[in-house]
Amino acid sequence: MESGDPTAAEDRNLLEKAQAGDMAGFEALVERHRDHVYSLALRMTRSEADAAEVTQETFLSAYQHLAEFRGEAAFGSWVHRIAANHSLMRLRHSRVVKNAEEEIKGQPEFNERGSLAEYPESDWSRRADERVLDSELRRAIQQASDGLPESYRQVFLLKDLDDLSYEEIAEITGDSVPAIKSRLHRARLALRDAIDRFYNDG
Amino acid sequence: MFTCKDSIDQLLEFLDGEISADDEEHLHEHLSGCPPCVSFLKTYRATPNLARRALGETMPEDFARSLTAFLRERCKKK
Ligand SMILES: [Zn+2]
């Protein structure tokens, strides 16, 4: 995001070309950001076909608003926000049942004195830096994300995958910042629990 | 004195740097005597980055090709 970031500098360079009407410049931008947009849309909608369409809509919308983009923010974060909006719109349209009261699983358990109950002492935090992620672990994390109640999954993905600020998430979802933080915290606890079970049982 | 539950409740605010000075003191006090909470904190802190990496996908090639075709079709010069 900062001006010294070579990725952002290259984006700015391509953006100028795209804004001047150079389609190759725009296509290069698409190529650099499509995996991210697709990943967010896939985890949001949990459907490959929907994710492919959301990705198309996102970049079409970016193209149509290219002239309005002033470049005070990074192109990446701008596209992330458009992708977030389109993913949520898709969810609102395709929603079958919305269960707002759905319980979130994977929360820590405490005894009556508020101490962690039954806690296996394993600190896998340093293994999180390993270059290659174990494919079983990837699957466990994807399942945990897919299994989050929808309102938690949205907030978690917008923050931890799409890197939006609390204020941006509030604007997109219409929820308050405290509610967003509370859901994010519980979603992270659930994800932490899933990873913990992978390292302890696996 | 914070319990484990109090401490874990504060982790998001703590890692965001938004915790109050009082609560931060209580938290440190608890952590200094509770190894399980220390490893809980470390693994909680490592979770978002790990999740980001696990949830990133490469767009399948046929989707990427349709995306290019779609945009060439729809993004006509004005
Ligand atoms: Zn504790």
mmCIF file of all heavy atoms in Angstrom, chain A residues 163-196:
data_model
loop_
_atom_site.group_PDB
_atom_site.id
_atom_site.type_symbol
_atom_site.label_atom_id
_atom_site.label_comp_id
_atom_site.label_asym_id
_atom_site.label_seq_id
_atom_site.Cartn_x
_atom_site.Cartn_y
_atom_site.Cartn_z
ATOM 1 N N ASP A 163 -8.601 -7.934 3.732
ATOM 2 C CA ASP A 163 -7.827 -6.842 4.329
ATOM 3 C C ASP A 163 -8.543 -5.504 4.411
ATOM 4 O O ASP A 163 -7.893 -4.461 4.377
ATOM 5 C CB ASP A 163 -6.542 -6.617 3.500
ATOM 6 C CG ASP A 163 -5.330 -6.947 4.337
ATOM 7 O OD1 ASP A 163 -5.446 -6.920 5.569
ATOM 8 O OD2 ASP A 163 -4.279 -7.234 3.747
ATOM 9 N N LEU A 164 -9.859 -5.538 4.504
ATOM 10 C CA LEU A 164 -10.587 -4.276 4.641
ATOM 11 C C LEU A 164 -10.482 -3.782 6.078
ATOM 12 O O LEU A 164 -10.234 -4.565 6.997
ATOM 13 C CB LEU A 164 -12.067 -4.459 4.270
ATOM 14 C CG LEU A 164 -12.386 -4.949 2.857
ATOM 15 C CD1 LEU A 164 -13.885 -4.829 2.588
ATOM 16 C CD2 LEU A 164 -11.612 -4.187 1.799
ATOM 17 N N SER A 165 -10.691 -2.483 6.269
ATOM 18 C CA SER A 165 -10.694 -1.928 7.624
ATOM 19 C C SER A 165 -12.073 -2.176 8.255
ATOM 20 O O SER A 165 -13.041 -2.478 7.555
ATOM 21 C CB SER A 165 -10.415 -0.431 7.583
ATOM 22 O OG SER A 165 -11.520 0.241 6.988
ATOM 23 N N TYR A 166 -12.146 -2.038 9.586
ATOM 24 C CA TYR A 166 -13.440 -2.199 10.263
ATOM 25 C C TYR A 166 -14.472 -1.228 9.679
ATOM 26 O O TYR A 166 -15.639 -1.575 9.511
ATOM 27 C CB TYR A 166 -13.291 -1.936 11.760
ATOM 28 C CG TYR A 166 -12.439 -2.965 12.482
ATOM 29 C CD1 TYR A 166 -11.340 -2.575 13.237
ATOM 30 C CD2 TYR A 166 -12.756 -4.321 12.409
ATOM 31 C CE1 TYR A 166 -10.560 -3.511 13.902
ATOM 32 C CE2 TYR A 166 -11.982 -5.262 13.066
ATOM 33 C CZ TYR A 166 -10.877 -4.860 13.818
ATOM 34 O OH TYR A 166 -10.114 -5.784 14.469
ATOM 35 N N GLU A 167 -14.013 -0.012 9.379
ATOM 36 C CA GLU A 167 -14.936 1.007 8.876
ATOM 37 C C GLU A 167 -15.461 0.612 7.493
ATOM 38 O O GLU A 167 -16.643 0.794 7.194
ATOM 39 C CB GLU A 167 -14.248 2.375 8.814
ATOM 40 C CG GLU A 167 -13.979 2.997 10.186
ATOM 41 C CD GLU A 167 -12.884 2.283 10.985
ATOM 42 O OE1 GLU A 167 -12.026 1.605 10.368
ATOM 43 O OE2 GLU A 167 -12.897 2.385 12.230
ATOM 44 N N GLU A 168 -14.567 0.075 6.660
ATOM 45 C CA GLU A 168 -15.010 -0.355 5.331
ATOM 46 C C GLU A 168 -16.009 -1.509 5.438
ATOM 47 O O GLU A 168 -16.997 -1.569 4.709
ATOM 48 C CB GLU A 168 -13.807 -0.786 4.480
ATOM 49 C CG GLU A 168 -12.948 0.378 4.013
ATOM 50 C CD GLU A 168 -11.653 -0.074 3.344
ATOM 51 O OE1 GLU A 168 -11.035 -1.067 3.783
ATOM 52 O OE2 GLU A 168 -11.233 0.591 2.374
ATOM 53 N N ILE A 169 -15.743 -2.421 6.364
ATOM 54 C CA ILE A 169 -16.657 -3.551 6.540
ATOM 55 C C ILE A 169 -18.012 -3.051 7.047
ATOM 56 O O ILE A 169 -19.065 -3.508 6.591
ATOM 57 C CB ILE A 169 -16.054 -4.596 7.507
ATOM 58 C CG1 ILE A 169 -14.757 -5.163 6.912
ATOM 59 C CG2 ILE A 169 -17.049 -5.722 7.773
ATOM 60 C CD1 ILE A 169 -13.988 -6.057 7.858
ATOM 61 N N ALA A 170 -17.974 -2.095 7.953
ATOM 62 C CA ALA A 170 -19.223 -1.528 8.477
ATOM 63 C C ALA A 170 -20.032 -0.899 7.348
ATOM 64 O O ALA A 170 -21.258 -1.051 7.281
ATOM 65 C CB ALA A 170 -18.916 -0.493 9.558
ATOM 66 N N GLU A 171 -19.328 -0.212 6.458
ATOM 67 C CA GLU A 171 -20.005 0.445 5.356
ATOM 68 C C GLU A 171 -20.662 -0.575 4.423
ATOM 69 O O GLU A 171 -21.788 -0.400 3.979
ATOM 70 C CB GLU A 171 -18.976 1.262 4.579
ATOM 71 C CG GLU A 171 -19.553 2.415 3.796
ATOM 72 C CD GLU A 171 -18.430 3.181 3.110
ATOM 73 O OE1 GLU A 171 -17.529 3.679 3.831
ATOM 74 O OE2 GLU A 171 -18.435 3.240 1.879
ATOM 75 N N ILE A 172 -19.947 -1.661 4.150
ATOM 76 C CA ILE A 172 -20.448 -2.661 3.205
ATOM 77 C C ILE A 172 -21.573 -3.508 3.801
ATOM 78 O O ILE A 172 -22.552 -3.816 3.141
ATOM 79 C CB ILE A 172 -19.286 -3.565 2.731
ATOM 80 C CG1 ILE A 172 -18.331 -2.762 1.847
ATOM 81 C CG2 ILE A 172 -19.797 -4.772 1.956
ATOM 82 C CD1 ILE A 172 -17.081 -3.510 1.480
ATOM 83 N N THR A 173 -21.415 -3.907 5.071
ATOM 84 C CA THR A 173 -22.385 -4.826 5.657
ATOM 85 C C THR A 173 -23.514 -4.100 6.372
ATOM 86 O O THR A 173 -24.559 -4.696 6.645
ATOM 87 C CB THR A 173 -21.720 -5.767 6.688
ATOM 88 O OG1 THR A 173 -21.180 -4.964 7.754
ATOM 89 C CG2 THR A 173 -20.622 -6.595 6.065
ATOM 90 N N GLY A 174 -23.308 -2.846 6.744
ATOM 91 C CA GLY A 174 -24.317 -2.123 7.507
ATOM 92 C C GLY A 174 -24.298 -2.460 8.995
ATOM 93 O O GLY A 174 -25.197 -2.057 9.736
ATOM 94 N N ASP A 175 -23.305 -3.196 9.440
ATOM 95 C CA ASP A 175 -23.200 -3.537 10.862
ATOM 96 C C ASP A 175 -22.313 -2.532 11.592
ATOM 97 O O ASP A 175 -21.520 -1.830 10.981
ATOM 98 C CB ASP A 175 -22.610 -4.943 11.021
ATOM 99 C CG ASP A 175 -23.488 -6.003 10.386
ATOM 100 O OD1 ASP A 175 -24.715 -5.948 10.575
ATOM 101 O OD2 ASP A 175 -22.946 -6.886 9.692
ATOM 102 N N SER A 176 -22.434 -2.510 12.926
ATOM 103 C CA SER A 176 -21.613 -1.592 13.713
ATOM 104 C C SER A 176 -20.209 -2.154 13.896
ATOM 105 O O SER A 176 -20.015 -3.377 13.834
ATOM 106 C CB SER A 176 -22.248 -1.364 15.082
ATOM 107 O OG SER A 176 -22.103 -2.537 15.864
ATOM 108 N N VAL A 177 -19.249 -1.275 14.114
ATOM 109 C CA VAL A 177 -17.872 -1.734 14.310
ATOM 110 C C VAL A 177 -17.750 -2.681 15.523
ATOM 111 O O VAL A 177 -17.098 -3.721 15.414
ATOM 112 C CB VAL A 177 -16.889 -0.538 14.400
ATOM 113 C CG1 VAL A 177 -15.507 -0.991 14.837
ATOM 114 C CG2 VAL A 177 -16.817 0.167 13.049
ATOM 115 N N PRO A 178 -18.379 -2.384 16.673
ATOM 116 C CA PRO A 178 -18.280 -3.340 17.791
ATOM 117 C C PRO A 178 -18.843 -4.727 17.443
ATOM 118 O O PRO A 178 -18.255 -5.749 17.812
ATOM 119 C CB PRO A 178 -19.113 -2.681 18.900
ATOM 120 C CG PRO A 178 -19.110 -1.234 18.577
ATOM 121 C CD PRO A 178 -19.064 -1.133 17.082
ATOM 122 N N ALA A 179 -19.950 -4.759 16.698
ATOM 123 C CA ALA A 179 -20.520 -6.056 16.309
ATOM 124 C C ALA A 179 -19.559 -6.788 15.371
ATOM 125 O O ALA A 179 -19.390 -8.010 15.462
ATOM 126 C CB ALA A 179 -21.874 -5.847 15.624
ATOM 127 N N ILE A 180 -18.923 -6.040 14.495
ATOM 128 C CA ILE A 180 -17.969 -6.641 13.549
ATOM 129 C C ILE A 180 -16.774 -7.222 14.298
ATOM 130 O O ILE A 180 -16.353 -8.359 14.048
ATOM 131 C CB ILE A 180 -17.523 -5.573 12.522
ATOM 132 C CG1 ILE A 180 -18.685 -5.281 11.569
ATOM 133 C CG2 ILE A 180 -16.289 -6.030 11.750
ATOM 134 C CD1 ILE A 180 -18.497 -4.027 10.747
ATOM 135 N N LYS A 181 -16.251 -6.456 15.255
ATOM 136 C CA LYS A 181 -15.100 -6.940 16.025
ATOM 137 C C LYS A 181 -15.452 -8.187 16.820
ATOM 138 O O LYS A 181 -14.654 -9.122 16.909
ATOM 139 C CB LYS A 181 -14.627 -5.857 16.995
ATOM 140 C CG LYS A 181 -13.876 -4.728 16.341
ATOM 141 C CD LYS A 181 -13.344 -3.803 17.419
ATOM 142 C CE LYS A 181 -12.499 -2.691 16.816
ATOM 143 N NZ LYS A 181 -11.968 -1.803 17.876
ATOM 144 N N SER A 182 -16.636 -8.191 17.383
ATOM 145 C CA SER A 182 -17.039 -9.344 18.180
ATOM 146 C C SER A 182 -17.152 -10.595 17.308
ATOM 147 O O SER A 182 -16.702 -11.683 17.677
ATOM 148 C CB SER A 182 -18.345 -8.995 18.905
ATOM 149 O OG SER A 182 -19.096 -10.141 19.156
ATOM 150 N N ARG A 183 -17.716 -10.447 16.133
ATOM 151 C CA ARG A 183 -17.824 -11.610 15.229
ATOM 152 C C ARG A 183 -16.461 -12.039 14.702
ATOM 153 O O ARG A 183 -16.194 -13.236 14.586
ATOM 154 C CB ARG A 183 -18.740 -11.286 14.061
ATOM 155 C CG ARG A 183 -20.182 -11.465 14.424
ATOM 156 C CD ARG A 183 -21.034 -11.365 13.182
ATOM 157 N NE ARG A 183 -22.148 -10.493 13.476
ATOM 158 C CZ ARG A 183 -22.600 -9.547 12.672
ATOM 159 N NH1 ARG A 183 -22.056 -9.372 11.492
ATOM 160 N NH2 ARG A 183 -23.601 -8.800 13.031
ATOM 161 N N LEU A 184 -15.640 -11.066 14.391
ATOM 162 C CA LEU A 184 -14.295 -11.403 13.904
ATOM 163 C C LEU A 184 -13.541 -12.210 14.967
ATOM 164 O O LEU A 184 -12.902 -13.221 14.664
ATOM 165 C CB LEU A 184 -13.515 -10.131 13.569
ATOM 166 C CG LEU A 184 -12.061 -10.359 13.154
ATOM 167 C CD1 LEU A 184 -11.982 -11.094 11.816
ATOM 168 C CD2 LEU A 184 -11.290 -9.037 13.073
ATOM 169 N N HIS A 185 -13.633 -11.755 16.207
ATOM 170 C CA HIS A 185 -12.944 -12.446 17.298
ATOM 171 C C HIS A 185 -13.413 -13.892 17.411
ATOM 172 O O HIS A 185 -12.608 -14.821 17.481
ATOM 173 C CB HIS A 185 -13.197 -11.686 18.599
ATOM 174 C CG HIS A 185 -12.596 -12.324 19.817
ATOM 175 N ND1 HIS A 185 -11.238 -12.605 19.913
ATOM 176 C CD2 HIS A 185 -13.154 -12.746 20.984
ATOM 177 C CE1 HIS A 185 -11.009 -13.171 21.094
ATOM 178 N NE2 HIS A 185 -12.133 -13.271 21.755
ATOM 179 N N ARG A 186 -14.717 -14.080 17.377
ATOM 180 C CA ARG A 186 -15.236 -15.445 17.502
ATOM 181 C C ARG A 186 -14.907 -16.302 16.283
ATOM 182 O O ARG A 186 -14.650 -17.507 16.404
ATOM 183 C CB ARG A 186 -16.746 -15.408 17.739
ATOM 184 C CG ARG A 186 -17.062 -14.969 19.157
ATOM 185 C CD ARG A 186 -18.400 -14.266 19.198
ATOM 186 N NE ARG A 186 -19.134 -14.565 20.400
ATOM 187 C CZ ARG A 186 -19.818 -15.680 20.609
ATOM 188 N NH1 ARG A 186 -19.894 -16.617 19.706
ATOM 189 N NH2 ARG A 186 -20.441 -15.882 21.744
ATOM 190 N N ALA A 187 -14.893 -15.693 15.121
ATOM 191 C CA ALA A 187 -14.519 -16.441 13.923
ATOM 192 C C ALA A 187 -13.047 -16.863 14.005
ATOM 193 O O ALA A 187 -12.695 -18.003 13.690
ATOM 194 C CB ALA A 187 -14.766 -15.599 12.672
ATOM 195 N N ARG A 188 -12.198 -15.957 14.467
ATOM 196 C CA ARG A 188 -10.780 -16.313 14.600
ATOM 197 C C ARG A 188 -10.590 -17.401 15.647
ATOM 198 O O ARG A 188 -9.731 -18.281 15.484
ATOM 199 C CB ARG A 188 -9.969 -15.084 14.991
ATOM 200 C CG ARG A 188 -9.706 -14.138 13.829
ATOM 201 C CD ARG A 188 -8.888 -12.960 14.304
ATOM 202 N NE ARG A 188 -8.560 -12.033 13.224
ATOM 203 C CZ ARG A 188 -8.011 -10.839 13.432
ATOM 204 N NH1 ARG A 188 -7.729 -10.437 14.669
ATOM 205 N NH2 ARG A 188 -7.731 -10.057 12.417
ATOM 206 N N LEU A 189 -11.383 -17.341 16.707
ATOM 207 C CA LEU A 189 -11.298 -18.407 17.720
ATOM 208 C C LEU A 189 -11.664 -19.750 17.096
ATOM 209 O O LEU A 189 -11.019 -20.768 17.362
ATOM 210 C CB LEU A 189 -12.227 -18.102 18.908
ATOM 211 C CG LEU A 189 -11.819 -16.963 19.853
ATOM 212 C CD1 LEU A 189 -12.935 -16.693 20.870
ATOM 213 C CD2 LEU A 189 -10.509 -17.283 20.576
ATOM 214 N N ALA A 190 -12.697 -19.749 16.278
ATOM 215 C CA ALA A 190 -13.137 -20.997 15.642
ATOM 216 C C ALA A 190 -12.067 -21.519 14.682
ATOM 217 O O ALA A 190 -11.798 -22.721 14.626
ATOM 218 C CB ALA A 190 -14.457 -20.771 14.899
ATOM 219 N N LEU A 191 -11.463 -20.613 13.926
ATOM 220 C CA LEU A 191 -10.403 -21.023 12.997
ATOM 221 C C LEU A 191 -9.179 -21.529 13.777
ATOM 222 O O LEU A 191 -8.574 -22.530 13.422
ATOM 223 C CB LEU A 191 -9.999 -19.859 12.095
ATOM 224 C CG LEU A 191 -10.696 -19.697 10.744
ATOM 225 C CD1 LEU A 191 -10.269 -20.807 9.790
ATOM 226 C CD2 LEU A 191 -12.204 -19.684 10.834
ATOM 227 N N ARG A 192 -8.838 -20.824 14.851
ATOM 228 C CA ARG A 192 -7.718 -21.236 15.690
ATOM 229 C C ARG A 192 -7.961 -22.640 16.232
ATOM 230 O O ARG A 192 -7.071 -23.486 16.249
ATOM 231 C CB ARG A 192 -7.522 -20.256 16.853
ATOM 232 C CG ARG A 192 -6.173 -20.369 17.562
ATOM 233 C CD ARG A 192 -6.271 -20.047 19.058
ATOM 234 N NE ARG A 192 -7.022 -21.091 19.740
ATOM 235 C CZ ARG A 192 -6.449 -22.190 20.242
ATOM 236 N NH1 ARG A 192 -5.151 -22.372 20.205
ATOM 237 N NH2 ARG A 192 -7.212 -23.115 20.802
ATOM 238 N N ASP A 193 -9.180 -22.879 16.639
ATOM 239 C CA ASP A 193 -9.540 -24.180 17.182
ATOM 240 C C ASP A 193 -9.393 -25.279 16.117
ATOM 241 O O ASP A 193 -8.886 -26.365 16.408
ATOM 242 C CB ASP A 193 -10.990 -24.127 17.695
ATOM 243 C CG ASP A 193 -11.406 -25.421 18.364
ATOM 244 O OD1 ASP A 193 -10.832 -25.743 19.420
ATOM 245 O OD2 ASP A 193 -12.276 -26.121 17.808
ATOM 246 N N ALA A 194 -9.809 -24.988 14.902
ATOM 247 C CA ALA A 194 -9.701 -25.978 13.823
ATOM 248 C C ALA A 194 -8.234 -26.304 13.536
ATOM 249 O O ALA A 194 -7.867 -27.462 13.342
ATOM 250 C CB ALA A 194 -10.390 -25.459 12.557
ATOM 251 N N ILE A 195 -7.401 -25.271 13.519
ATOM 252 C CA ILE A 195 -5.976 -25.484 13.254
ATOM 253 C C ILE A 195 -5.354 -26.252 14.427
ATOM 254 O O ILE A 195 -4.542 -27.162 14.242
ATOM 255 C CB ILE A 195 -5.250 -24.134 13.045
ATOM 256 C CG1 ILE A 195 -5.879 -23.367 11.875
ATOM 257 C CG2 ILE A 195 -3.760 -24.362 12.801
ATOM 258 C CD1 ILE A 195 -5.444 -21.908 11.782
ATOM 259 N N ASP A 196 -5.760 -25.882 15.624
ATOM 260 C CA ASP A 196 -5.259 -26.538 16.825
ATOM 261 C C ASP A 196 -5.582 -28.034 16.804
ATOM 262 O O ASP A 196 -4.745 -28.870 17.119
ATOM 263 C CB ASP A 196 -5.890 -25.873 18.053
ATOM 264 C CG ASP A 196 -5.118 -26.160 19.322
ATOM 265 O OD1 ASP A 196 -3.899 -25.899 19.333
ATOM 266 O OD2 ASP A 196 -5.722 -26.660 20.282
#
